[in-house]
Amino acid sequence: MPNAFPNRLNDSRAYDIATALLDGFKRHYRLFRETSAAAKQRFERADWHGQQNSQALRIAFYDLRVDEAVARLRDEFHVEALSMDTWQQAKLHYIGLLTNHPQPELAETFFNSVTAKVLHRSYFKNDFIFVRPAVSTEYIENDEPGSAPTYRAYYPSRDTLHDTWRRIVTNFQLAPPFEDLARDVGHVVDAMVAELGGLRPRANFQIQVLSSLFYRNKGAYMVGKIINGFTETPFALPILHREDGTPAAAGAAPGPLIIDAALFGEDPLLMIFSYARAYFMVDMEVPSAYVHFLRSLMPNKPRAEIYSALGLQKHGKNLYYRDLLAHLRHSSDRLRIAPGIKGMVMLVFDLPSFPYVFKVIKDFYPPQKDTTREQIKGKYLLVKQHDRVGRMADTLEYSTVAFPRHRFEPELVAELKHFCGSLIEEAGEMLVIKHLYIERRMIPLNIYLQEAFDAGGANPADTTDKADKARVQIERGVIEYGNAIKDLVAANIFPGDMLWKNFGVTRNGKVVFYDYDEIEYITDCKFRKVPEPRHEEDEMSGEVWYSVGPKDVFPETFGPFLLGNDAVRSVFMQHHGDLLDAAFWQAHKERIAAGHVHDVFPYEANKRFAQVDTAQAAIDSGV
């Protein structure tokens, strides 16, 4: 077939634009990869504050590089005056430059980000941006001389399991010594044999391990899968520094390394790669190959979420938007006001058939909400950059999103125009929302508990199976609620508004916080006991009679707002009564201020090998 654009592809101006765009992307990914690779040295030094700072800074890298590329295009090419024909030529040249590129999908997203800042949105069409990928990522591999492949395969026999696992671990060449690698490898082998129900190696028996460790918070995670016959078993091994529970002195050597657990199966990996946790630091030459491997371990996890978990959240956003467009084409239900108690600063809506919610900041708020749009956006950015410890949902932030107008319920359109009029624009058959956040949909905790109340869970006289299950649901929800708050406290986050409606229950029963407009750092708050009444008038007063500063928090006052139901109060006081004591909060604030970084593990405590060692020691001592 003859070339339809013989002259266009020879347009040197368009080629130079494409080259400048790719140069901007290369700079971005080089810096992204450098800070990700440096996570290994930070882990080896136990530089936890450095790890946290690098995590936050890396999130900002992308927008900085996009702004640089936009400035270059404007300075060198005066792009606002270019014809759409030139832009189409630039895109065709860009596609050509991505042949054999190791990160073509990320480069396409970068192209979209830059052109979206230069072109008017009416030109956001397939001719000028990558609505669909133009370059395949199938079978891309790192072919640089001396470079590591995406994963390594090991072929143990029954007799060489211990030696093989030892080689797998030592191949990562971590500088600090292990406390007792033989012991830890023994735990891994025992756990593996138990998981596989004994060990009968088949002809294809092998262990495949991704070549880079996954660094986050205070851990390094080895990720791979065991293949035996027709069975593939995903696994992750978290590697930690042994600590004695006290903050390390300045300049002190970090503790020795330990393998903390052996986690097998898809569910534990889904917890590790949860959208409610901070992004990993991983050194990847070919990200799509890592995503392909991880999808083989977690086939039900969207690729968008895997890219985001690897720190490539901008491409995750791009993939999510493609998924949304595809879903809209293949569905017919309508966008509606989300079920539950309406928020004071956010208007929340959803599409029943799609597992996400859309959140738009309102134009005005009740008097008790002393805030601004910019402050609210700042809170959401704080959460994006912070360690979410499995308790704060990640959000995708979008500008100028167009939805088909006919897919909205009339009540939703009326509320959007009333509460968010400055952010709404009608363009033909589309309704454009100028700024919104998107989060995974969860069951609001107040609704989760109300369902249990309605089933008889709060009635001790009801002894039916249905009521017994409801009581278990209440207990689980309340315990998880307290656990969520305590994990947030460990991460230096005070939720602010702790009402049940601001927490959600995930598919696996975890409670996650998702309302961020009042969050503060624990270290910025002043936790106080309510002063003793000065006289009878104070005691009988319905008003606050003592002084309250802007960052003052009185934990004992949480009870009346949270514990009006006797069944809820009983469970809460049994497991989390300390949350009503200012001393609890003050103690955590002091530890954080002293430089201590808490461990918040993405797996259950009973999975830790320390539990196994403790139990065995008790048996050996006859306890």
Side-chain angles (χ1 to χ4, degrees):
M1 179 176 178
N3 188 350
F5 307 107
N7 297 322
R8 294 179 179 180
L9 291 176
N10 292 323
D11 188 314
S12 61
R13 190 174 183 80
Y15 181 82
D16 290 343
I17 291 171
T19 302
L21 281 165
L22 191 57
D23 286 345
F25 169 73
K26 287 178 178 177
R27 171 170 163 76
H28 157 65
Y29 198 71
R30 175 175 57 79
L31 294 173
F32 175 92
R33 193 174 175 196
E34 284 175 0
T35 194
S36 299
K40 180 176 187 286
Q41 287 74 42
R42 292 189 292 269
F43 173 78
E44 290 172 339
R45 298 193 305 266
D47 179 10
W48 310 135
H49 292 291
Q51 204 79 301
Q52 291 174 339
N53 292 337
S54 296
Q55 171 70 31
L57 289 172
R58 191 185 66 170
I59 289 172
F61 281 3
Y62 186 89
D63 289 335
L64 291 173
R65 302 293 85 75
V66 167
D67 289 343
E68 289 173 0
V70 169
R72 180 181 176 187
L73 291 183
R74 285 174 173 159
D75 290 345
E76 295 184 19
F77 304 101
H78 308 290
V79 288
E80 282 83 357
L82 294 178
S83 68
M84 291 302 102
D85 185 61
T86 302
W87 275 111
Q88 188 176 25
Q89 294 173 48
K91 179 184 175 184
L92 293 173
H93 282 300
Y94 197 78
I95 293 171
L97 292 171
L98 294 184
T99 302
N100 297 323
H101 195 282
Q103 304 102 27
E105 77 282 25
L106 306 186
E108 289 178 355
T109 292
F110 189 84
F111 183 98
N112 287 354
S113 298
V114 174
T115 53
K117 287 202 168 191
V118 175
L119 298 174
H120 186 271
R121 71 164 182 273
S122 60
Y123 295 115
F124 292 175
K125 302 173 184 176
N126 194 36
D127 287 344
F128 311 115
I129 67 169
F130 294 93
V131 175
R132 291 183 295 274
V135 179
S136 172
T137 57
E138 292 294 314
Y139 302 111
I140 299 178
E141 189 48 85
N142 188 1
D143 296 325
E144 293 182 2
S147 61
T150 299
Y151 65 88
R152 296 185 176 92
Y154 301 82
Y155 304 94
S157 67
R158 186 192 301 271
D159 296 330
T160 62
L161 267 180
H162 284 77
D163 291 340
T164 301
W165 275 111
R166 186 183 186 94
R167 184 157 57 95
I168 291 171
V169 175
T170 55
N171 274 351
F172 287 103
Q173 299 181 347
L174 291 168
F178 278 80
E179 181 180 74
D180 188 341
L181 185 55
R183 175 202 64 199
D184 293 349
V185 164
H187 287 326
V188 172
V189 171
D190 291 345
M192 170 185 167
V193 172
E195 176 68 24
L196 299 180
L199 184 60
R200 297 179 58 191
R202 305 297 182 183
N204 66 336
F205 181 51
Q206 58 187 285
I207 302 171
Q208 295 182 356
V209 185
L210 285 167
S211 294
S212 293
L213 291 171
F214 291 65
Y215 297 94
R216 184 177 64 203
N217 198 16
K218 297 168 71 174
Y221 295 79
M222 182 194 309
V223 178
K225 59 185 172 182
I226 300 164
I227 300 174
N228 193 31
F230 298 110
T231 302
E232 294 191 4
T233 304
F235 71 84
L237 304 184
I239 300 172
L240 308 177
H241 286 270
R242 171 73 78 191
E243 295 181 346
D244 61 7
T246 60
L257 300 179
I258 58 171
I259 300 175
D260 195 53
L263 310 169
F264 295 99
E266 181 179 3
D267 284 347
L269 264 75
L270 288 171
M271 295 297 292
I272 292 171
F273 286 86
S274 167
Y275 58 85
R277 292 195 176 274
Y279 306 137
F280 280 107
M281 293 271 190
V282 194
D283 182 19
M284 303 170 291
E285 172 68 12
V286 184
S288 60
Y290 272 71
V291 172
H292 180 77
F293 189 97
L294 291 168
R295 280 273 285 178
S296 74
L297 311 182
M298 301 172 285
N300 295 315
K301 192 168 186 65
R303 286 189 307 132
E305 289 187 6
I306 295 178
Y307 271 101
S308 293
L310 298 176
L312 301 165
Q313 72 275 8
K314 295 295 185 178
H315 188 62
K317 278 179 54 177
N318 192 16
L319 290 180
Y320 169 81
Y321 189 63
R322 291 172 181 171
D323 290 343
L324 173 61
L325 293 177
H327 185 85
L328 288 171
R329 285 194 298 270
H330 296 88
S331 62
S332 59
D333 54 337
R334 302 172 83 181
L335 294 156
R336 62 176 185 176
I337 299 169
I341 300 172
K342 295 179 180 179
M344 286 188 266
V345 302
M346 288 285 194
L347 192 155
V348 184
F349 63 95
D350 70 355
L351 188 68
S353 62
F354 201 53
Y356 295 84
V357 298
F358 307 87
K359 304 171 72 170
V360 185
I361 302 174
K362 293 180 179 180
D363 290 339
F364 52 89
Y365 327 109
Q368 63 266 38
K369 290 288 186 178
D370 183 17
T371 188
T372 66
R373 186 186 305 278
E374 290 307 311
Q375 287 174 333
I376 294 167
K377 291 169 72 173
K379 302 290 188 183
Y380 275 76
L381 178 60
L382 184 158
V383 172
K384 172 72 72 175
Q385 296 176 338
H386 202 75
D387 185 0
R388 295 188 292 279
V389 295
R391 298 299 187 175
M392 293 188 288
D394 191 18
T395 56
L396 303 176
E397 183 179 8
Y398 289 87
S399 299
T400 317
V401 179
F403 294 91
R405 176 67 171 74
H406 72 277
R407 296 298 294 272
F408 286 81
E409 294 281 0
E411 295 82 2
L412 173 56
V413 174
E415 292 235 342
L416 283 168
K417 289 183 175 180
H418 176 68
F419 289 106
C420 314
S422 70
L423 297 177
I424 306 303
E425 179 182 325
E426 297 207 42
E429 297 181 352
M430 307 300 285
L431 192 149
V432 179
I433 301 179
K434 298 176 185 177
H435 181 267
L436 58 76
Y437 295 99
I438 301 174
E439 289 178 0
R440 265 282 185 175
R441 182 166 57 207
M442 292 169 268
I443 303 172
L445 183 55
N446 62 308
I447 293 178
Y448 180 86
L449 293 174
Q450 188 60 53
E451 290 173 351
F453 299 154
D454 294 342
N459 180 8
D462 190 338
T463 58
T464 63
D465 287 344
K466 183 179 179 182
D468 286 342
K469 291 179 181 178
R471 277 187 279 274
V472 171
Q473 181 167 322
I474 292 172
E475 182 175 29
R476 182 188 302 122
V478 174
I479 291 174
E480 261 294 285
Y481 166 79
N483 289 341
I485 293 174
K486 288 177 176 177
D487 285 346
L488 291 173
V489 171
N492 195 20
I493 291 292
F494 175 59
D497 192 343
M498 293 166 56
L499 295 177
W500 306 97
K501 70 182 182 68
N502 296 326
F503 293 76
V505 182
T506 67
R507 177 186 63 84
N508 53 24
K510 296 282 284 186
V511 168
V512 173
F513 184 57
Y514 52 58
D515 190 334
Y516 307 140
D517 58 278
E518 291 190 16
I519 65 171
E520 300 285 352
Y521 289 119
I522 293 288
T523 46
D524 289 342
C525 298
K526 184 177 181 181
F527 298 97
R528 297 172 53 192
K529 288 183 63 66
V530 174
E532 292 293 329
R534 296 165 299 183
H535 39 65
E536 186 176 353
E537 286 77 6
D538 284 347
E539 194 167 3
M540 301 300 294
S541 174
E543 303 294 329
V544 175
W545 48 265
Y546 43 87
S547 64
V548 179
K551 295 294 179 73
D552 285 354
V553 180
F554 299 87
E556 63 197 277
T557 65
F558 298 163
F561 296 98
L562 302 175
L563 308 178
N565 182 283
D566 289 342
V568 168
R569 182 178 184 83
S570 175
V571 176
F572 184 91
M573 294 307 296
Q574 179 183 352
H575 295 274
H576 299 300
D578 50 354
L579 289 175
L580 304 183
D581 185 354
F584 167 86
W585 301 83
Q586 290 164 352
H588 277 277
K589 176 180 175 177
E590 290 168 3
R591 292 191 76 195
I592 295 168
H596 183 72
V597 177
H598 290 259
D599 290 299
V600 181
F601 302 108
Y603 45 93
E604 300 300 325
N606 60 11
K607 299 289 187 182
R608 303 186 65 195
F609 290 147
Q611 303 281 345
V612 176
D613 294 335
T614 301
Q616 186 61 51
I619 293 171
D620 293 343
S621 63
V623 176

